[in-house]
Amino acid sequence: MVAVAPSPAFAIATPVPLGTADSFAVLAGESVTNTGPSVITGDVGVSPGTAISGFPPGLINGVQHSADAVALQAKSDLVAAFNNAAGQATDAALPPDAGGLTLVPGVYTASSTLGLTGTLTLDAQGDPNAVWVFQVGSGLTTASASRVALINGAQACNVFWGIGSSATLGTDSTFIGNILALTSISATTGATIDGRALARNGSVTLDNNRITRATCSGGTTSGTTTGTTTGTTTGTTTGTTTGTTTGTTGGVLGGVLGGVLTGGTTGGTGGVLGGVLGGILTGGTTGGTPGGATTTGNTSGTTTGNTSGNIAGNTTGGGTGGHTGGGKGGGTGGGHTGGGHDGGHGDGRPGGYGDKAEEHGGYGDKPQGPGHHEG
């Protein structure tokens, strides 16, 4: 195995800009012809020619562009790319056959034709951005079962072959890189390309091949993304839904409305039912647990109802309510024994139902539920 390294005094190869031709796996000036079940991953186009044939049985994992504006622009960008590759300063000359060589990154030139028998190895030496540009004055011919191998981080997207005439890939050969041929490209039976077949003026001819458009991984991303999400979400929902139920006595309806609307917090003259319903609203909204609903509701409602009812019945009813005020205010409003004391014989009147609270606490907003081929 022979290793060839460019002189340190020479320029380092730079990536060849493909422009809009980058999305193409196969691009030709005259035609694209396929035989057999070839698989093309990437766009296929022709311009100014129009013929794309053999698909099916071939498969294109991309878009076909026949003499449209996209193919026209891609062909224009291909011309610029070809000139860029040809114009880079050479680092080293190649022998007539590149088989058996191991090449580090650089610009390599074959003044006439170039053959490849066996294996050509491209060594990136740990640099994922390493670039190789091959300038072949005439034609490129690879032998059957020949191959290009990548080692130490080399990427197919960074290998460019500028061919001054045409390229022919041998049967069952494995080729790496972007072929930019002035005339035509022919891939014989079983040949594979990890890169592109771009023929500037002539045709691309395929026969049961696999061509995969090469893309760069973007280099090596080193580093550790470390982050600690620290914090305590602390929140106390504090508040009292307060509504004042005014009236001398509550009665059944006053107790219910008072208990429900005031949320069972102050109770007003809410009875047992009012307390329970109020407790459910209070427990469900503020307490947040089913247990809060039962415990808070019964305790708050019963206690408030009994206390409020007794006070309302005994105090108000006893003064002026008579049996009507005391009985109804205490008995109905208290819910248990609030009306048990006789209130005298005055002209007692049942109290009003109390002012309704504008609204109880809400239940909270419900959260709402909620990278083709490159062109």
Side-chain angles (χ1 to χ4, degrees):
M1 181 180 291
V2 178
V4 177
S7 168
F10 284 24
I12 298 176
T14 59
V16 175
L18 297 176
T20 60
D22 180 80
S23 70
F24 288 83
V26 175
L27 180 63
E30 184 175 313
S31 66
V32 175
T33 304
N34 173 67
T35 301
S38 295
V39 178
I40 312 302
T41 301
D43 294 345
V44 174
V46 60
S47 178
T50 60
I52 299 177
S53 62
F55 301 96
L59 174 65
I60 298 175
N61 295 315
V63 181
Q64 291 190 47
H65 295 279
S66 176
D68 61 8
V70 174
L72 178 63
Q73 182 60 54
K75 272 296 303 300
S76 176
D77 291 343
L78 173 56
V79 172
F82 182 90
N83 292 335
N84 178 283
Q88 293 196 31
T90 187
D91 290 331
L94 291 172
D97 194 303
L101 298 180
T102 296
L103 303 179
V104 297
V107 180
Y108 297 90
T109 302
S111 59
S112 181
T113 60
L114 179 67
L116 174 57
T117 304
T119 300
L120 168 64
T121 303
L122 305 182
D123 183 358
Q125 299 181 319
D127 180 6
N129 297 313
V131 176
W132 290 261
V133 175
F134 295 93
Q135 302 167 335
V136 180
S138 183
L140 169 69
T141 303
T142 68
S144 297
S146 62
R147 70 190 190 103
V148 177
L150 303 178
I151 63 173
N152 296 326
Q155 299 192 72
C157 62
N158 286 328
V159 181
F160 302 90
W161 299 82
I163 311 301
S165 180
S166 297
T168 301
L169 306 183
T171 303
D172 296 325
S173 60
T174 301
F175 196 80
I176 298 292
N178 304 286
I179 303 174
L180 287 63
L182 179 63
T183 309
S184 296
I185 299 171
S186 177
T188 59
T189 307
T192 65
I193 301 175
D194 185 1
R196 294 170 177 80
L198 310 177
R200 177 172 164 178
N201 298 320
S203 298
V204 174
T205 304
L206 307 175
D207 182 4
N208 191 19
N209 308 119
R210 288 185 178 272
I211 301 178
T212 303
R213 183 180 70 89
T215 57
C216 288
S217 65
T220 302
T221 302
S222 300
T224 303
T225 303
T226 304
T228 303
T229 303
T230 304
T232 303
T233 304
T234 304
T236 302
T237 304
T238 305
T240 303
T241 304
T242 305
T244 303
T245 304
T246 57
T248 306
T249 58
V252 175
L253 185 57
V256 173
L257 291 175
V260 174
L261 294 176
T262 61
T265 305
T266 57
T269 55
V272 176
L273 180 59
V276 172
L277 292 176
I280 292 172
L281 289 176
T282 301
T285 304
T286 305
T289 61
T294 303
T295 303
T296 303
N298 287 329
T299 302
S300 176
T302 302
T303 303
T304 304
N306 287 335
T307 303
S308 178
N310 277 300
I311 293 173
N314 290 330
T315 303
T316 306
T320 57
H323 285 289
T324 303
K328 294 182 180 179
T332 308
H336 283 285
T337 58
H341 298 280
D342 190 282
H345 302 284
D347 296 327
R349 299 177 183 272
Y353 299 142
D355 297 330
K356 300 181 180 179
E358 290 297 325
E359 59 184 4
H360 61 75
Y363 298 112
D365 295 330
K366 299 179 180 179
Q368 298 183 359
H372 154 83
H373 298 279
E374 296 184 357

